[in-house]
Amino acid sequence: MDLREALSRGEFSLHYQPLISLDNGEISGFEALLRWTHPDRGDIPPGDFIGIAEETGLIGPIGRFVLERACRDAAGWPGDLKIAVNLSPAQFRSYDILASVVHALDVSGLSPSRLDLEITESLLMDKSEAALSTLRALRHLGVGISMDDFGTGYSSLSYLRAFPFTKIKIDKSFIKDLHSSPDSQAIVRAIVSLGNNLGMRVIAEGIENPDDLAFLMEAGCGEGQGYLFSVPKPLKDIAGLIAGAPAT
Ligand code: C2E
Ligand code: CA
Ligand code: CA
Ligand code: CA
């Protein structure tokens, strides 16, 4: 895979998927999702190349591109709309992620309170002091930290206490099974009340139908994301969605 060439040729872009506040149905922000448009092979999904980018070290420059592009785009949006950016654990291990975030905020002029960084449990599993102090420094800047794919790893509960999370994202595997699995329903209810009681925002990803949305609202989940609301779209195609968002 020509990942290095892809970056210099400008073949990477970001798509944005709205995050919906379930209290009022309004858009609270967008998640940035990386896309690679290969000249011969067409669109390649991130699952097919993020792992290779991590192994080859290219996640450093690619991650910096994502942070800067997302912050610059979000700086042009009205009101308090937030931008959520995915970070790979490898970006914490070998790169100065703090400097990259500071740089992206600096060049974009985006307020730190409008940036949410999404990380997965795998970052925390080695219980690294370095990762913890980096997360604390990021929180100190004023950016939010979300635990992505919550419920899919190990010992999630102890991580919630040890790390400075502001938001929990319930993994879409639980949402997918909601209609058929009483166990998934119980787990989702438990995660929502846990997050609410810990003072964190809780968002469910992968909402595809109105029944699942109704269940989540009834359970007290604060935010949602999924094809029911919108698929991820290029910047130019979300202008209509943003125009309908509340401006402050
Ligand atoms: P993720 O962070 O869990 O992102 C959510 C994934 O679910 C996205 O897949 C999104 O398109 C998809 N999705 C959203 N709504 C629905 C729905 O209603 N149903 C279903 N079935 N899927 C839905 P995508 O864009 O293919 O991204 C896959 C993964 O790649 C992401 O999972 C994230 O882990 C990673 N990724 C994406 N962009 C970046 C990036 O800029 N940096 C890093 N490090 N990882 C990224
Ligand atoms: Ca994510
Ligand atoms: Ca996720
Ligand atoms: Ca995921």
Side-chain angles (χ1 to χ4, degrees):
M1 278 197 190
D2 330 318
L3 282 174
R4 190 180 300 276
E5 290 79 3
L7 192 59
S8 58
R9 286 198 216 112
E11 290 167 12
F12 289 115
S13 65
L14 295 181
H15 281 196
Y16 293 101
Q17 187 178 34
L19 314 177
I20 308 296
S21 176
L22 298 186
D23 323 327
N24 55 17
E26 287 173 357
I27 293 175
S28 58
F30 292 85
E31 179 176 2
L33 293 158
L34 186 59
R35 298 291 180 258
W36 178 9
T37 308
H38 191 279
D40 309 320
R41 295 163 57 191
D43 287 347
I44 304 177
D48 289 1
F49 64 86
I50 294 280
I52 295 159
E54 289 174 344
E55 285 161 23
T56 55
L58 281 165
I59 194 68
I62 293 172
R64 285 192 286 276
F65 160 79
V66 171
L67 269 169
E68 194 171 324
R69 182 74 268 151
C71 289
R72 283 182 189 273
D73 288 346
W77 301 341
D80 299 334
L81 289 181
K82 291 202 169 205
I83 177 70
V85 173
N86 291 284
L87 295 185
S88 133
Q91 286 174 270
F92 280 78
R93 266 182 241 118
S94 0
Y95 304 91
D96 192 347
I97 188 68
L98 188 60
S100 305
V101 171
V102 169
H103 178 76
L105 291 170
D106 206 40
V107 297
S108 65
L110 187 77
S111 162
S113 64
R114 291 179 59 194
L115 176 62
D116 274 336
L117 301 174
E118 301 196 352
I119 63 165
T120 54
E121 266 175 353
S122 53
L123 171 68
L124 314 175
M125 276 167 59
D126 44 3
K127 295 205 174 61
S128 125
E129 278 302 316
L132 178 55
S133 67
T134 303
L135 286 176
R136 287 210 181 106
L138 288 166
R139 271 299 293 142
H140 198 71
L141 279 181
V143 308
I145 312 282
S146 303
M147 185 185 260
D148 206 351
D149 301 348
F150 187 79
T152 56
Y154 300 98
S155 313
S156 314
L157 297 180
S158 62
Y159 297 137
L160 280 185
R161 207 174 47 169
F163 292 89
F165 291 104
T166 47
K167 191 188 258 197
I168 296 174
K169 295 195 82 167
I170 306 175
D171 190 67
K172 57 179 177 294
S173 58
F174 297 107
I175 310 307
K176 184 165 84 55
D177 289 346
L178 267 185
H179 64 286
S180 60
S181 160
D183 286 352
S184 286
Q185 292 174 12
I187 290 167
V188 166
R189 276 189 202 284
I191 297 174
V192 169
S193 68
L194 178 74
N196 288 344
N197 286 324
L198 289 171
M200 297 176 192
R201 297 200 47 82
V202 181
I203 179 164
E205 62 178 25
I207 304 176
E208 294 186 0
N209 66 67
D211 289 344
D212 296 340
L213 174 61
F215 177 90
L216 288 159
M217 288 175 73
E218 197 268 325
C221 186
E223 278 183 68
Q225 173 181 9
Y227 298 160
L228 177 65
F229 305 109
S230 172
V231 298
K233 293 176 176 177
L235 180 69
K236 62 176 173 43
D237 294 345
I238 62 168
L241 296 175
I242 289 174
T248 46

